[in-house]
Amino acid sequence: MSGRWKRFLLLGLAVALLAGSSQIQRSLNGDRKALGLTRVEPLENAPPILAFTTVALGGFRGLISNALWMRASDLQDEDKFFEMAQLADWITKLEPHFVQVWLVQAWNMAYNISVKFKDYPDRWRWVKRGFELLRDDGLRYNPNELLIYRELGWIFQHKLGQNLDDANMYYKQEWANEMAVVFDKKKPNLDELINPQTDDQKRRAALLRDHYKMDPNIMKEVDETFGPVEWRLPEAHAIYWANLGLKAAAENPAKVKKDDLITLRRVVYQSMQLSFQRGKLVSNPLIKAFEFGPNLEIIPKVSKAYEQAAEEDKENHDHILRAHRNFLRDAVYFLYSHNRLKDAAYWFKYLGQKYPDKPILDYKTNSLPANVTLDEYAIGRIVEDVKETDKARITAIVEGMFKNFYLSLIMDEEDERALGFKLMAGKIYEAYMKQIPQERIKAIGLDPIDEGRLFSSLWGCWRRRPEADRGSLPARWRRTRGLRFAAGQTGGPLL
């Protein structure tokens, strides 16, 4: 065979192989996409610079990203978080589907960079940039990545929801202020955002969907499934994003890891527990700020969530049940201290049936449910709680004591009973504050309870009574003032 014919034969063979490989490539791309091995679909709605880099650099994007990532890791080890933030931003533009860089970048801004500032507004700016990065950009390019949903929920649950950061109350107040705009500075009404009628409702519905990337229909589902929750508080948003991650997992079961599902469910039931402890938001017009109280209505669903999590997570089954038992003990005590004795009795019985061989008072090994009455348990918990340093728990107890004090005065109960509630609230308040180091008072100290709040609560209780049972308000007012003077309160803060 001459050289000329040989070249034609090889050229024809090359064309045939290229044509065949193009057909096989389509099948390979489909398999790679189905198995989640790589991304083959183009970016949608990407900014020009991102669209350019992903197309122009081609396969070199990966090499450049790896080099930048190694440098970013070195900067993190050297605590150079600001420089690292810039590199991470470049990596997200080169490789928007590189999930780990989104997680590290958000964590870096919300946790590492924020604490470098002393002023709370500066801290809040970086914390906010952290969760907005995940919400607005990370999920935009990676809508099915469960780790991004988990990290977003965790920032709301932990950074905003817990009190480990001295600025945590500032974060909560700022977030509540933003949500107040969405809900027209009143108790959240999701129905008016689902089906807006007025121009104002349409504007606020658009703000919720476009800026905060939240669907009021899904919010209502969350309320019905896990709530009621307070949408002006961060734990409700932690539940929302974790639940959205679970929905994404259900739509792509072949790409889901079991451990990722467990972490998402953990965000849900831990945030529900947090909502139980202090998930009720009350506006205090006297100080023009918000105060927190326990969300007692959520108790049945929190209990169910713990039991479901224990069934699904066999590896941590015993740990979750231990947490469930502690939750039930808190639920009984909180209900009792808020004068919901029937509900407290029900859950006390349930606690005994579920964990009959476990002591319910930590400092009494023989305090099995069968050996302790509900009243004895409540008193025993008071002894325990004056040793606690959890602001949410102590606030809930003190508020419950004061609620019983108000109701006792309004409903003409024994004076000694009313004063006893107030006295116990004062003792718990004082015992807690004595344990707080001076430098931590601003972060986890209790707010004073003043007489303006007392009379506001007293008036509300009186107004809620049936018309025929209200009696003479002036008489009750004089009686209240008389008891107040008898207790040695002549003006100013009660505690």
Side-chain angles (χ1 to χ4, degrees), residues 99-388:
V99 175
Q100 193 62 30
V101 74
W102 292 104
L103 305 181
V104 172
Q105 171 76 323
W107 176 275
N108 183 41
M109 290 192 291
Y111 284 85
N112 295 330
I113 295 180
S114 65
V115 296
K116 297 293 184 181
F117 296 90
K118 293 183 179 180
D119 293 337
Y120 291 171
D122 292 328
R123 287 193 181 189
W124 169 241
R125 192 176 301 112
W126 281 98
V127 171
K128 191 177 177 183
R129 283 184 63 182
F131 66 73
E132 285 179 343
L133 178 73
L134 297 176
R135 183 193 68 194
D136 300 346
D137 296 324
L139 289 178
R140 179 183 179 185
Y141 303 120
N142 306 277
N144 297 316
E145 288 293 347
L146 304 193
L147 291 178
I148 295 182
Y149 288 103
R150 187 267 176 190
E151 193 68 21
L152 181 55
W154 174 253
I155 292 177
F156 276 104
Q157 175 196 341
H158 185 262
K159 187 65 178 181
L160 276 69
Q162 296 290 356
N163 59 12
L164 298 180
D165 190 323
D166 289 346
N168 75 91
M169 290 302 297
Y170 183 85
Y171 302 154
K172 294 179 179 71
Q173 183 71 58
E174 288 297 304
W175 187 247
N177 291 343
E178 291 197 21
M179 289 296 103
V181 175
V182 174
F183 296 112
D184 197 24
K185 298 182 180 180
K186 59 186 179 182
K187 186 176 181 180
N189 182 352
L190 294 174
D191 289 329
E192 70 177 17
L193 299 179
I194 294 173
N195 297 300
Q197 302 298 318
T198 68
D199 289 341
D200 178 66
Q201 291 174 357
K202 292 176 181 178
R203 178 189 60 80
R204 290 188 285 111
L207 177 66
L208 179 65
R209 293 177 185 274
D210 299 338
H211 182 74
Y212 294 101
K213 308 297 188 289
M214 299 181 71
D215 186 336
N217 291 286
I218 298 178
M219 293 170 71
K220 190 169 184 178
E221 289 179 17
V222 168
D223 235 358
E224 294 171 349
T225 306
F226 306 107
V229 294
E230 173 53 77
W231 288 103
R232 292 168 292 181
L233 291 179
E235 54 267 17
H237 295 263
I239 297 172
Y240 176 90
W241 291 109
N243 179 66
L244 213 58
L246 292 173
K247 283 180 173 290
E251 294 173 359
N252 301 274
K255 301 179 181 180
V256 174
K257 297 179 181 178
K258 183 180 178 181
D259 289 345
D260 293 342
L261 285 177
I262 290 174
T263 57
L264 282 172
R265 294 191 182 108
R266 191 174 296 157
V267 170
V268 171
Y269 71 74
Q270 288 179 348
S271 296
M272 291 176 71
Q273 157 78 353
L274 191 59
S275 178
F276 153 69
Q277 289 183 337
R278 54 140 194 80
K280 184 178 180 181
L281 191 60
V282 181
S283 177
N284 187 335
L286 299 175
I287 60 174
K288 295 182 179 181
F290 294 106
E291 297 178 354
F292 307 102
N295 180 1
L296 302 180
E297 308 306 323
I298 204 177
I299 288 175
K301 292 179 181 177
V302 179
S303 178
K304 182 179 178 180
Y306 269 114
E307 293 176 1
Q308 181 180 351
E311 292 179 6
E312 295 171 346
D313 188 357
K314 299 301 182 182
E315 184 177 348
N316 296 298
H317 177 270
D318 293 342
H319 298 291
I320 295 173
L321 288 184
R322 188 178 302 114
H324 179 232
R325 183 172 70 90
N326 290 334
F327 159 73
L328 290 176
R329 294 195 303 166
D330 285 344
V332 171
Y333 186 32
F334 281 22
L335 287 166
Y336 185 94
S337 66
H338 283 74
N339 203 37
R340 296 177 57 167
L341 302 183
K342 184 177 179 180
D343 292 334
Y346 171 84
W347 288 104
F348 185 74
K349 182 179 179 181
Y350 186 81
L351 172 64
Q353 293 172 345
K354 191 76 175 177
Y355 306 102
D357 58 340
K358 302 291 185 181
I360 57 177
L361 292 171
D362 291 337
Y363 63 95
K364 285 188 178 181
T365 56
N366 64 339
S367 59
L368 300 178
N371 301 335
V372 181
T373 67
L374 176 59
D375 289 336
E376 290 171 341
Y377 171 68
I379 295 172
R381 282 297 300 273
I382 291 174
V383 175
E384 285 185 353
D385 273 316
V386 295
K387 300 176 182 178
E388 291 284 343

Side-chain angles (χ1 to χ4, degrees), residues 49-61:
I49 186 173
L50 183 54
F52 172 78
T53 54
T54 54
V55 175
L57 295 179
F60 288 103
R61 290 184 292 120

